């Protein structure tokens, strides 16, 4: 494995916004950040939201811990109808009410955004997949179609390695330590991409966003939480579901994806054979999600 260096070398790639986690292996700039809005929710937490596309059906996209609208938009690029992207509490411009928070709080955020936008389909990545599971345990018939991308936790807390990485991310953001943050974020990249122009562009984009927007202290308890007490709570969910996992991913164990697919009565499981799928299998991931939701 190649070593990682921070700050970047003088010739370490373009001084522009990177392609994002779903981007190709080039250093081309990303599109400008779109204008978002703040929406009030029935539970008193204002959430940042972006709506794209037109018509029905409507799909809501829920992001992972430390990510947000920018990282979920690529998943919806081929999805028809309106697409609703948002930031959970503690991310971006969304409110940060007093913590600590649980997956129930995140499920309330997701439900509110879905209800306000009339969403009939839902996509959840990592933390967002957990929030979606928590919502479905209470309202199993809420959505007509479901996508779970790299679910990280179901009815047991994350493992020790995952908790350490997520705690390191939150601590580095809280301290404003760019070097420590870069070390943690670099682990999101496949080894072959690190210390390449595309890798440096991605790191710059992520660091700029995290150090600019921060992450709320209320998120610190989530790595030790689980969305469900028992995966059997999902037995009443009859909507078709696509569950996507990959092997050798420390933050998103393939066993969780397998357990979730087994718990959902109408689930299809797809497992990639190596981590870093947003770099190595980007086109296939997008096509697989859009084909499922548009079918």
């Amino acid at each position: 494995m190649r070593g990682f260096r921070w700050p970047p070398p003088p010739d370490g790639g373009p001084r522009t916004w990177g392609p994002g986690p779903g981007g190709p292996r080039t250093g081309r700039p990303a599109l400008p950040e779109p204008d978002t809005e703040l929406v009030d929710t029935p539970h008193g937490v204002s959430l940042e939201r972006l709506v794209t596309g037109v018509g029905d059906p409507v799909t809501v996209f829920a992001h992972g811990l430390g990510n947000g609208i920018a990282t979920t938009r690529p998943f919806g690029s081929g999805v028809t109808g309106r697409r609703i992207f948002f930031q959970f509490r503690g991310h971006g411009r969304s409110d940060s009410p007093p913590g600590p928070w649980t997956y129930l709080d995140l499920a309330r955020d997701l439900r509110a955004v879905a209800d306000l936008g009339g969403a009939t389909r839902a996509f959840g990545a990592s933390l967002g997949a957990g929030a979606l599971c928590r919502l479905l345990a209470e309202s199993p018939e809420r959505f007509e179609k479901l996508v779970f991308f790299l679910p990280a936790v179901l009815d047991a807390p994350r493992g020790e390695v995952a908790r350490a990485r997520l705690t390191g991310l939150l601590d580095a953001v809280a301290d404003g330590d760019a070097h420590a943050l870069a070390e943690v974020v670099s682990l999101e990249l496949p080894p072959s991409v690190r210390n390449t122009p595309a890798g440096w562009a991605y790191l710059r984009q992520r660091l700029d966003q995290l150090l600019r927007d921060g992450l709320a202290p209320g998120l610190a308890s989530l790595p030790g939480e689980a969305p469900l007490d028992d995966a059997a709570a999902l037995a009443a969910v009859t909507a078709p579901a696509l569950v996507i996992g990959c092997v050798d991913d420390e933050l998103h164990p393939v066993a969780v994806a397998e357990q979730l697919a087994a718990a959902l009565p109408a689930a299809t499981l797809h497992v990639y054979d190596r981590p870093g799928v947003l770099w190595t299998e980007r086109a296939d991931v997008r096509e697989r999600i859009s084909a499922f939701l548009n079918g």
Side-chain angles (χ1 to χ4, degrees), residues 15 68 70 76 130 137-138 151 204 230 252-253 273 293:
R15 301 302 189 266
E138 296 182 342
R204 288 190 184 92
D230 188 339
H252 312 97
D273 61 5
L293 289 175

Side-chain angles (χ1 to χ4, degrees), residues 48-263:
E48 186 177 5
R49 182 182 70 175
L50 172 71
V51 180
T52 65
V54 294
D56 293 323
V58 183
T59 307
V60 62
F61 291 78
H63 63 82
L65 180 62
N67 289 285
I69 291 172
T71 53
T72 48
R73 284 187 71 195
F75 295 110
S77 61
V79 176
T80 57
R82 272 189 299 141
R83 300 172 294 274
I84 302 175
F85 306 93
F86 75 102
Q87 311 261 79
F88 280 116
R89 61 182 63 203
H91 294 78
R93 296 196 295 137
S94 293
D95 282 350
S96 298
W101 305 324
T102 67
Y103 278 93
L104 177 60
D105 296 307
L106 301 182
R108 286 172 176 159
D109 291 350
L110 174 55
R111 182 192 296 275
V113 172
D115 289 351
L116 289 169
T120 58
R121 308 182 301 179
F123 167 98
S126 190
L127 181 81
L132 181 54
C133 287
R134 186 67 181 83
L135 188 161
L136 292 168
E138 296 182 342
S139 304
E141 298 181 0
R142 174 60 184 81
F143 297 106
E144 298 173 357
K145 282 192 176 182
L146 305 161
V147 177
F148 300 86
F149 179 74
L150 301 184
V153 63
L154 192 56
D155 56 7
R158 293 179 187 250
E160 201 170 306
V161 172
R163 288 202 301 270
R165 272 185 57 178
L166 294 171
T167 300
L169 173 69
L170 294 167
D171 289 345
V173 172
D175 295 340
D177 187 336
H179 178 85
L181 184 58
E183 291 285 349
V184 176
V185 173
S186 71
L187 298 176
E188 300 173 8
L189 300 169
S192 61
V193 177
R194 298 171 193 170
N195 287 326
T196 66
W200 286 115
Y202 173 74
L203 279 173
R204 288 190 184 92
Q205 179 184 7
R206 288 280 284 138
L207 265 65
D208 181 87
Q209 179 264 314
L210 288 167
L211 293 173
R212 178 191 66 209
D213 298 336
L215 292 171
L219 297 167
S221 62
L222 287 171
E225 299 276 347
L228 304 176
D229 292 328
D230 188 339
L234 300 176
V237 179
T238 58
L242 173 63
V243 181
I244 299 176
C246 69
V247 299
D248 297 330
D249 187 321
E250 291 182 333
L251 293 185
H252 312 97
V254 69
V256 175
E258 293 169 343
Q259 182 188 11
L260 175 57

